[in-house]
Amino acid sequence: MSSLEIKDLHASVVTDEGAKEILKGVDLTINSGEIHAIMGPNGSGKSTLSYAIAGHPKYQVTSGEVLLDGENVLDMTVDERGRAGLFLAMQYPVEVPGVSMSNFLRTAATSVRGEAPKLRHWVKEVKDEMSKLDISADFAERSVNEGFSGGEKKRHEILQLGLLKPKMAILDETDSGLDVDALRVVSKGVNDFKASNDAGIMLITHYSRILKHVQPDFVHVFSEGRIVESGGPELADALEESGYVRFTGGKQEEAAAR
Amino acid sequence: MTVTENTVPAGSADHNTVAEAAEATVPAVSKGERFTSYDVRAFEVPGGREENWRFTPMKRLRGLHDGSAVANGEVKVDADVASELRVETVGREDGRLGVAGVPSDRIAAQAYSSFSTATVLTVPKETKASAPSVIRLTGPGEGNTAYGHLQVRLEQFAEAVVVLDHQGSGTYADNVEFVIGDSAKLTVVSVQDWADDAVHVSEQHLKLGRDATLKHTLVTLGGDLVRISPTATFADKGGDVELLGLYFSDAGQHQEHRLFVDHAVPNCKSNVVYKGALQGDGAHSVWIGDVLIRAAAEATDTFELNRNLVLTEGARADSVPNLEIETGEIEGAGHASATGRFDDEQLFYLQSRGIVEEQARRLVVRGFFHEILMKIDVPEVRERLEAAIEAELEAVGA
Ligand SMILES: Nc1ncnc2c1ncn2[C@@H]1O[C@H](COP(=O)(O)OP(=O)(O)OP(=O)(O)O)[C@@H](O)[C@H]1O
Ligand SMILES: [Mg+2]
């Protein structure tokens, strides 16, 4: 049983012009076995929340706490957070030229597991996970994310999720840019991961279509750096119907209309 | 018409540009009109401000440039070559010498005027060497100076892989000639793995015959000052030259690579890719990439790229690509140069997967060099370089 507690989190982005506050008091607790969907207009700070939790150097936490099983995550380096059981599937996964996917996956698994996986088991494990996600075998020898299509990048984020088996996973718009078939495959990957690891999931999305495949226990509306409304799955349907406008005071009408 | 183009593509993944030296200047004198001579007396002693010398720390040349460096030692040449090849030690008067190119700076001319014997390696016509050939050149020893000359010649339709392995101490200036006959194919890797005290200044003359192919790789790891100037010329149509380079400059090291590709005949290709990493105080790398496409060189296809990865504070990379085009009838021509620090996004991505920072950095540096290493199709050399890069990374704790 794990928990991720986010308490009154404030964070700023570091830009050339100085720091700009984006997160303005986020409160959220995710327990293992729970799926929390976070929905909100463009620019409301959803990715900033995920980066701040993962420890991206561009984002500075100015106050508040993030605890994983009671341990202060904010005191940890980025890689310590990864090894402690946090995982971020990024909205825009990064290309790392010259580093093969297979080398990367094995290095990451070795780091997270604390020992190198036995080669024979590992090869099979990767092969199985890849085929579950309909990823062809030749991706293993390609450079990490380099030249991958948007959908291929997302599949590989979920591949890592399945192999690294974190306690808490943040999926930042993993559904964006996926066609219908890919959405089904990726959703299955997420569900399998959750079922076999009893993990907690924060699922950031703009669309309720993924929520038909990955059933959320809670839905939160995110606006201007905070959670402004929380409810059950029915909230996602209400958002689909009427947009974010009633939660954002009309300011984000345009974004809500998408 | 002369057009000099200098573009740095916007898509470069680098953050924090450290030194972007893609200067948009038309050279005062066209590369095509540069002065060359076999005779050292024909050159003025350079002071250090000349275009040709402005990046080089003249004081550290130990007098190679002004005639005060008198030969008092020898470079030991050990040839371990495929059985089909011929190795000879010849005198200055040998008529074959000097055909690949004429020295274009005072040190190269000094070396040409000063060597006593030359080594000539020949691959006879229509012969394919059965194994890579290694020529090991060991420096004259600390405090000593030597001049040398080496020629690798491939007769028509010959094929070979040649490794030049420079090591040891001392001061050394030389000319190296690669004479590649019609339809011949040469792969050459020149490794500069000198001891910390070594100074090596070299001009490499690359001359390609009709339909000849050359893959030329320079790898510079050691030395106090290493300055290598490869010049590629095409004797006839259809030549294809690939110039690759990899360097790792440590604290206090000056590593300079000055390339010149002279396209004077039609239908030739050149592709240049140089990558360097720098670490430590006073590490300095210089890359000059001059490509000249003369009026007659129609249907030329050329591209050059230099990328530098600055790993620590206090290191400096200078990168000057230069493309002079005198004809509109070309296949393609372009160049790019970028110098950056570690990409924070890459490190963040790797670290977020639990990989400790130090290891993430190593992955990124290895990845950076991967493209070049994969092109070195001599497995023994590639493995040795991989090990050398690991050792460099260990040294800094990156
Ligand atoms: N590195 C940055 N530099 C400058 N501004 C930034 C940076 N990162 C985020 N911001 C700003 O912070 C705000 C929140 O951005 P964030 O990416 O967190 O939004 P989001 O909710 O994820 O949006 P989307 O739905 O479009 O992904 C935006 O106004 C954005 O422009
Ligand atoms: Mg976002």
Side-chain angles (χ1 to χ4, degrees), chain B residues 8-232:
Chain B
V8 177
S12 153
D14 284 320
H15 287 264
N16 303 330
T17 294
V18 177
E20 203 75 74
E23 294 166 9
T25 52
V26 179
V29 183
S30 162
K31 265 311 252 193
E33 278 134 48
R34 69 186 192 148
F35 179 76
T36 60
S37 171
Y38 294 108
D39 184 1
V40 63
R41 290 165 303 181
F43 289 86
E44 282 189 42
V45 172
R49 299 198 165 201
E50 300 79 2
E51 181 56 37
N52 204 2
W53 293 103
R54 66 189 178 103
F55 292 107
T56 313
M58 307 302 284
K59 287 205 179 81
R60 284 157 63 187
L61 285 170
R62 298 184 188 146
L64 286 173
H65 62 299
D66 63 10
S68 65
V70 177
N72 59 352
E74 287 278 315
V75 156
K76 191 163 156 271
V77 182
D78 298 299
D80 179 7
V81 306
S83 54
E84 306 83 1
L85 276 56
R86 214 165 51 234
V87 189
E88 302 160 76
T89 302
V90 304
R92 299 180 52 80
E93 69 294 343
D94 192 291
R96 293 169 296 181
L97 301 182
V99 298
V102 187
S104 69
D105 68 43
R106 196 171 195 279
I107 295 181
Q110 180 75 66
Y112 202 92
S113 306
S114 308
F115 73 88
S116 48
T117 58
T119 304
V120 177
L121 177 70
T122 305
V123 189
K125 77 174 190 192
E126 291 158 34
T127 302
K128 182 174 178 179
S130 55
S133 299
V134 179
I135 300 184
R136 177 162 301 128
L137 300 120
T138 307
E142 202 160 350
N144 292 336
T145 300
Y147 295 100
H149 196 97
L150 172 68
Q151 184 180 74
V152 176
R153 49 191 303 126
L154 272 71
E155 295 176 353
Q156 63 181 34
F157 291 101
E159 263 182 62
V161 174
V162 175
V163 178
L164 306 184
D165 191 354
H166 300 89
Q167 47 185 256
S169 291
T171 303
Y172 184 49
D174 67 342
N175 288 273
V176 181
E177 298 182 67
F178 297 101
V179 187
I180 305 146
D182 293 351
S183 295
K185 222 171 157 175
L186 173 64
T187 295
V188 53
V189 183
S190 176
V191 183
Q192 288 68 241
D193 197 5
W194 295 106
D196 288 345
D197 70 288
V199 169
H200 182 204
V201 179
S202 180
E203 183 156 354
Q204 298 202 349
H205 310 271
L206 289 32
K207 183 161 197 171
L208 286 86
R210 191 185 182 94
D211 298 325
T213 305
L214 169 64
K215 183 160 167 179
H216 176 273
T217 307
L218 284 184
V219 178
T220 302
L221 301 170
D224 174 64
L225 186 161
V226 176
R227 173 178 149 130
I228 316 255
S229 310
T231 294

